[in-house]
Every structure is written in structure tokens, then in C-alpha cells.
Amino acid sequence: MWYTADVGDEPTWTIGIEEEYLLVEPESGALTTEQPPGILEKVADLHHGIVARELFSSQLEIGTGICTDFKHLRADIGLLRLAVTEAAAEYGLAPIAASSHPFASPQDQKVTEGARYQALAEDLQGVSRGLVISGLHVHVGIEDPDLRIDLMNQVAYFLPHLLALSTSSPFWEGRDTGLKSYRMAMFRSLPRTGLPEKFDSWAEYRRHVDVLVKAGVIEDSTKVWWDIRPSERYPTLEMRVTDLPTRMEDTVCVAALYVCLLRMLWRLKVENRRWRSYANFLVSENLWRAERYGIGDGLIDFGKGELVPLPDLVEEMIELVRPDAEALDCVTQVEHARTICQRGTSADRQLAVYHGALEDGATDEEALHAVVQALIADTLAPPET
């Protein structure tokens, strides 16, 4: 267990991950419009993790078990990715771990059958058509609900940093959007998204949510789609801001950084200190910069009042959480953020493949197809040496 007896009642810091994959036809690179019947059952038979439908038939979601260390987490993700790949191959399909498909048209996609999905599409109307996007959700176990709220208020400062490291959606409907995370632009069209309000307690948070529940606007807080939120079903703080990294090692890195940042903030609290709070207005500016540039430009250091290159901020963050990474035995996973900064995110890789193919004489269609092929390969890529 992740526990340090000499610092008081430390949370368990258990961790669970949800990844949403898009299913493609390998030969054409096209996004499938029909999820094969029985594919979820095949995945479940191959591995014990959770697998579920998503809003559109072209997607499915996996969930790890409750993990107590990063070896366990990495093994779970690897087995689930392999299980989805093997099950999809039986139907002539392949999964890609990316937050958007390079050239699919959302209008061609079919809403998954079932009352829940049909009701969601009816509620969101045309906005729902832009949700052919995938994300990475990271749950961290924090048993004390008031502590969950306190850490949610503080860790919001670092969400742009995590988004920048995860970007994987530069294309939309066959065009280079100029953004490294176009998924964010699509997701922001939904209600109840963005940064959460700052709450003084769990009770205050529940009072606000219950206003919407009592009015019949939402059934529960699962319809509150903030970038970070307390889970409705589990005693966890769920980070939802990030794109879905294509390479598994990047996913584990983002998860490790997130849990270490939470532990660092908890450690400050034990020492009767806390991270300085900044207005959502300012943090949202950094979120936009992460959405637009990924790791290619800087974020604002509000204390200094200046832009700082992302690699420099990553170095600062690694040192900031080093005691926590050592305590949770994930120093290697946290330091992998340097590798991401050096070789680029999935968005950078996709753009490099696309422009490289064009320079070699490929048509635009052929270049986009090459991007899909790279995504298929990178989704199951072995660890980097």
C-alpha cells in the first residue's frame, strides 16, 4: 500500500484509469460506424478490466482495476490495450488511442443504442455530434470528501501542464486545426464543462450540485463534466482535462504526475501550508495555451508574470514532486515527462507524419491515412529505451 506512517492519516492514493479508444478499419484508415456485436464481451473474456460502450458506436472505453502501484497500473493498461486489439482484429478493426480521428466526419457516426445514450443525444442536440472525441480520465483515491474538495481547488493550477503533455487531437474532419488539442474545443461546447468553482467544503459542493438535481436538470453529478471533479460513484478525485496519449508510457506518466501533485499538495497541508490560489480567468488562459500549442510554447508563471517554456516548467514540476514520486515509487514514470518534451506528444508525431508524407509526394488523403497507420502502431508500441 502507498502509506507513510510518520505523516499522519495519509490517503491511500489508489489509482484507476479510463481510456476511450476509437475503432478504425486498418486498410482504409476510416473510423467504423458500427461497433461489432459481441466485441465488448470478447474484451472482457480476455482481461478482467472494465470495458464499456461510449456515446458513439465507433468508440469503447476501458477501465483498469483499483491499482496500488504503477507497475500494477501499467500492466493493467497494457493488458487492456492488448485485449481490445485482439478482440477488434477478429472483426477486421483496430483501436487507436487518440482524442480525435484525423479525417472522420462526425455526421457519419451513429449514436450507440440504449436509453442512456439516446437520452444524452436528445438532451445535447447538435452539440453531441462533435463528441466523436476520446479522453483520459484518472481517478485517485482520497477517502476524506473535504480533502477531495480542498485538493481539487489547488491542483487546478497544474491542469494546463498535464493537458500540454497529453495532446493528441490536432486534426478534425481532414484538416490541420492549428491546435494540438482540438478535442478541448469540441468538449467546451457542452454545458457544465471547464474549470470547477472553488468550494469551501464538500457540503458546499453538494449544495450546488443538488440545486440542479432538485430542478431535474441532471440526475446526479456524473453530468457535471468539469476538467476535474469528485467522482459520483467512488471516493476519488477524477482528472478529466487531458487528451488521450497514444503511447501507453505517456498515459502512465500523466497519471503519475497527477497523483504526485495531489500528494505534494496534501504534504503542504500537513505542514500547514498550501499552494497559492489563482483565479479561473488566469488558469483558463494557460489551458488555452496548452490546447493551442501543447508543449511547443510556454505557459504563464503567474508568480513571475511571464511566459516560461514548457520543458522548464516540467523540470520545476519534477523537482517539486520528487519526494512524492519517491514515496509512491514512480520517479521513472514522472521523469518520463522529459522524454515527452524531447520527442513530442502524439499531436506532434501526427503532424510530423502528415507533413513528412506530403513532402514525399503523398496526396492529402494519403498523408492522413499515414497518420492513422502511425496511430495504430503507436497505440501498442513497446516502451521506449
Side-chain angles (χ1 to χ4, degrees):
M1 291 292 289
W2 295 348
Y3 185 81
T4 307
D6 61 349
V7 287
D9 297 327
E10 181 164 0
T12 56
W13 309 120
T14 51
I15 189 166
I17 278 181
E18 298 163 2
E19 292 191 319
E20 300 162 341
Y21 306 135
L22 298 168
L23 297 173
V24 301
E25 300 167 2
E27 188 172 339
S28 67
L31 188 61
T32 186
T33 57
E34 296 282 356
Q35 186 175 113
I39 189 171
L40 299 186
E41 291 75 14
K42 286 185 180 294
V43 175
D45 287 344
L46 288 166
H47 184 62
H48 68 274
I50 300 166
V51 59
R53 292 177 174 83
E54 271 296 317
L55 178 60
F56 290 98
S57 294
S58 53
Q59 298 171 287
L60 59 80
E61 177 186 89
I62 61 93
T64 67
I66 300 172
C67 301
T68 58
D69 61 65
F70 281 91
K71 289 181 180 178
H72 181 188
L73 180 71
R74 188 190 177 284
D76 251 20
I77 298 171
L79 288 170
L80 279 162
R81 286 195 179 201
L82 183 60
V84 172
T85 300
E86 292 180 352
E90 294 188 29
Y91 300 94
L93 299 173
I96 59 172
S99 283
S100 68
H101 186 277
F103 59 83
S105 171
Q107 301 306 316
D108 296 336
Q109 297 305 303
K110 296 181 180 179
V111 175
T112 299
E113 293 183 3
R116 174 190 171 196
Y117 303 105
Q118 297 296 324
L120 188 59
E122 172 65 22
D123 180 37
L124 297 176
Q125 290 293 303
V127 170
S128 68
R129 304 310 306 178
L131 295 182
V132 190
I133 52 177
S134 299
L136 164 67
H137 302 160
V138 182
H139 289 260
V140 172
I142 301 169
E143 294 77 8
D144 182 339
D146 283 318
L147 180 60
R148 248 175 278 155
I149 295 299
D150 188 24
L151 295 186
M152 179 178 77
N153 292 339
Q154 296 183 68
V155 81
Y157 176 89
F158 296 98
L159 297 183
H161 305 64
L162 299 178
L163 173 61
L165 290 166
S166 72
T167 53
S168 67
S169 52
F171 294 100
W172 189 255
E173 293 189 289
R175 73 180 191 277
D176 177 356
T177 66
L179 307 182
K180 295 297 177 67
S181 175
Y182 196 72
R183 161 189 159 270
M184 289 289 282
M186 292 291 95
F187 198 69
R188 289 292 191 254
S189 62
L190 270 66
R192 303 178 294 279
T193 58
L195 292 168
E197 299 287 341
K198 291 182 172 65
F199 300 100
D200 290 334
S201 66
W202 173 260
E204 185 187 17
Y205 159 74
R206 286 305 321 180
R207 282 197 299 272
H208 282 74
V209 171
D210 288 346
V211 169
L212 300 187
V213 173
K214 184 177 179 180
V217 175
I218 59 175
E219 306 95 271
D220 54 44
S221 66
T222 61
K223 296 293 177 62
V224 177
W225 297 302
W226 291 331
D227 295 335
I228 185 170
R229 69 182 184 184
S231 172
E232 174 73 18
R233 299 188 178 99
Y234 312 109
T236 64
L237 187 58
E238 179 188 7
M239 188 274 293
R240 304 167 48 83
V241 73
T242 46
D243 272 11
L244 175 60
T246 303
R247 297 188 69 100
M248 181 173 60
E249 304 301 325
D250 293 6
T251 285
V252 176
C253 170
V254 168
L257 278 168
Y258 173 55
V259 70
C260 285
L261 286 165
L262 290 173
R263 189 182 186 277
M264 178 272 296
L265 294 169
W266 168 81
R267 182 163 48 85
L268 290 181
K269 184 180 179 70
V270 170
E271 298 166 359
N272 203 27
R273 296 187 293 154
R274 62 186 296 110
W275 196 258
R276 182 176 176 182
S277 177
Y278 292 94
N280 283 356
F281 167 71
L282 294 177
V283 179
S284 293
E285 188 65 25
N286 269 348
L287 279 171
W288 159 248
R289 295 191 63 81
E291 175 184 344
R292 168 67 177 86
Y293 301 107
I295 61 171
D297 207 335
L299 300 179
I300 305 165
D301 183 317
F302 302 127
K304 296 177 181 177
E306 61 185 41
L307 286 172
V308 177
L310 205 285
D312 292 349
L313 292 173
V314 164
E315 286 298 329
E316 291 178 9
M317 194 160 49
I318 289 172
E319 292 311 309
L320 186 66
V321 303
R322 185 168 296 280
D324 311 286
E326 290 172 352
L328 303 180
D329 194 21
C330 60
V331 173
T332 299
Q333 289 80 4
V334 164
E335 291 183 342
H336 180 75
R338 291 177 181 143
T339 299
I340 297 175
C341 289
Q342 290 163 2
R343 56 103 159 114
T345 66
S346 172
D348 298 314
R349 158 91 158 136
Q350 291 177 54
L351 289 165
V353 169
Y354 173 73
H355 290 294
L358 291 178
E359 290 171 5
D360 290 341
T363 65
D364 195 63
E365 182 178 345
E366 290 169 338
L368 289 167
H369 182 267
V371 174
V372 177
Q373 297 308 307
L375 287 170
I376 292 172
D378 287 350
T379 295
L380 271 184
E384 293 159 295
T385 56

